Amino acid sequence: MRLRIFTEPQQGADYDGILAVAQATEKLGFDAFFRSDHYLAMGDQVSGLPGPTDAWTTLAGLARETSRIRLGTLVSSVTYRPPGILAIQVAQVDQMSGGRVELGLGTGWFEREHLACGIPFPAKRFGMLEEQLEIVTGLWGTPAGETYSFAGEHYTLVDSPALPKPAQARIPVIVGGGGAKRTPAMAARFATEFNLPFPEFADVPGKFAGVRAACEAIGRDPRELVYSTALIAVAGRDEAEFTRRAAAVGREPAELRDHGLAGTASELVDRLGALAADGVECAYLQIMDLSDLDHLDFIAREVVPQLD
């Protein structure tokens, strides 16, 4: 199972702090560094200081200051950027990284940050997501020298030069969520990876089965997709260290054990093993305390070697 580090910088981080986590991610051997795409802190326990950082601006910087790890969003919201601009941003960062970028794209959900930033927040956004997925993949896939046009309910593009091209032949696209019909259908049509964010553990096999069925319904081999999940990770060498780290992110130890990757190294290994048995091929470890680099080191030293 591939392990990726997934961060929430809107809770309080500047670029230098994010960079330190990304470089530790690379040094310690994790597969990728991903970040959320939000502009407002969540919850009453954090101030969000020194303020938000833009996801794709951040990833552009990291593209030049890392050399191996994959870089991406989990997930960008369709409400933030027109699809033509998003395609340019992601393709440019892919070039800057030498072909290491992945795009997670979703409908968005946090209305309050839209109000704070003056971003429209339509009540219905699934149609926007479907059109954006078609447009960004269509732009990247348009042969050089040709143009791309699209006419939909939400977006119209006329004779786009469909430039720049990414460094990768195909940028991996991640579609995720727990919906029973529309999300699996979009993943089957457009995605290279399906992600279950923060699921109930018992639901994982059934959700994956729904995506496989959606692939088969359109004649796509379900094995072409990567099946992943995102879960909060809080670990320690003993109960005292685990409890301290849980308190630092404002969570209760018992609740973390019920819903996340939590506890001692052996507990994380057991949970990840069970997830692998349910079909999880890649796990995004949501790390909330970006100042605790020893936490990453502990997982790399004490958990990862036991997964082989």
Side-chain angles (χ1 to χ4, degrees):
M1 181 187 292
R2 288 178 290 132
L3 297 186
R4 297 180 154 188
I5 299 304
F6 167 43
T7 62
E8 303 273 2
Q10 77 280 350
Q11 299 299 89
D14 59 14
Y15 176 75
D16 288 338
I18 298 168
L19 174 62
V21 176
Q23 291 181 329
T25 297
E26 182 160 276
K27 177 182 176 182
L28 293 169
F30 293 102
D31 178 67
F33 174 91
F34 271 61
R35 61 156 293 162
S36 60
D37 194 355
H38 285 292
Y39 294 116
L40 200 65
M42 302 170 195
D44 298 328
Q45 296 179 324
V46 297
S47 66
L49 294 174
T53 51
D54 179 76
W56 287 101
T57 303
T58 298
L59 294 173
L62 298 180
R64 309 301 286 183
E65 298 194 82
T66 60
S67 61
R68 177 189 60 80
I69 50 174
R70 308 289 295 178
L71 301 166
T73 52
L74 204 65
V75 293
S76 289
S77 172
V78 295
T79 56
Y80 294 161
R81 305 168 186 91
I85 301 302
L86 178 65
I88 291 169
Q89 288 177 313
V90 177
Q92 183 178 8
V93 177
D94 194 53
Q95 290 180 353
M96 293 169 70
S97 70
R100 294 183 285 124
V101 158
E102 305 187 12
L103 171 65
L105 192 61
T107 58
W109 61 271
F110 192 23
E111 183 176 13
R112 200 156 63 82
E113 73 184 340
H114 290 73
L115 293 171
C117 295
I119 303 169
F121 188 70
K124 296 182 179 180
R125 302 178 300 284
F126 267 97
M128 295 171 63
L129 175 58
E130 186 171 19
E131 289 189 14
Q132 284 214 16
L133 287 166
E134 182 166 351
I135 291 165
V136 295
T137 56
L139 287 166
W140 295 332
T142 298
E146 297 184 14
T147 60
Y148 176 85
S149 296
F150 178 88
E153 180 182 350
H154 304 281
Y155 306 103
T156 299
L157 284 74
V158 179
D159 295 334
S160 169
L163 298 172
K165 296 303 182 193
Q168 299 175 86
R170 182 180 184 183
I171 289 180
V173 173
I174 303 163
V175 172
K181 293 183 179 180
R182 297 189 71 175
T183 299
M186 281 190 283
R189 185 177 173 193
F190 297 109
T192 53
E193 176 178 330
F194 174 73
N195 179 265
L196 270 179
F198 314 107
E200 295 295 331
F201 295 119
D203 293 342
V204 172
K207 296 295 184 182
F208 285 171
V211 176
R212 294 189 185 98
C215 287
E216 292 167 351
I218 62 170
R220 183 179 184 186
D221 186 344
R223 294 172 296 182
E224 293 179 3
L225 268 71
V226 173
Y227 296 84
S228 67
T229 189
L231 293 162
I232 189 169
V234 181
R237 68 180 186 277
D238 53 30
E239 190 66 20
E241 186 170 79
F242 164 58
T243 300
R244 175 179 63 78
R245 286 197 168 117
V249 297
R251 302 286 287 269
E252 293 295 328
E255 179 267 329
L256 284 170
R257 282 188 164 105
D258 286 342
H259 298 103
L261 301 168
T264 61
S266 62
E267 288 179 277
L268 266 68
V269 170
D270 289 346
R271 178 65 76 187
L272 289 165
L275 288 166
D278 285 337
V280 175
E281 300 168 298
C282 176
Y284 292 79
L285 279 56
Q286 185 194 46
I287 303 296
M288 298 302 295
D289 186 353
L290 302 191
S291 67
D292 187 1
L293 298 183
D294 288 341
H295 190 202
L296 298 184
D297 183 74
F298 173 79
I299 295 171
R301 284 186 296 102
E302 302 298 334
V303 176
V304 173
Q306 297 187 61
L307 299 177
D308 296 334

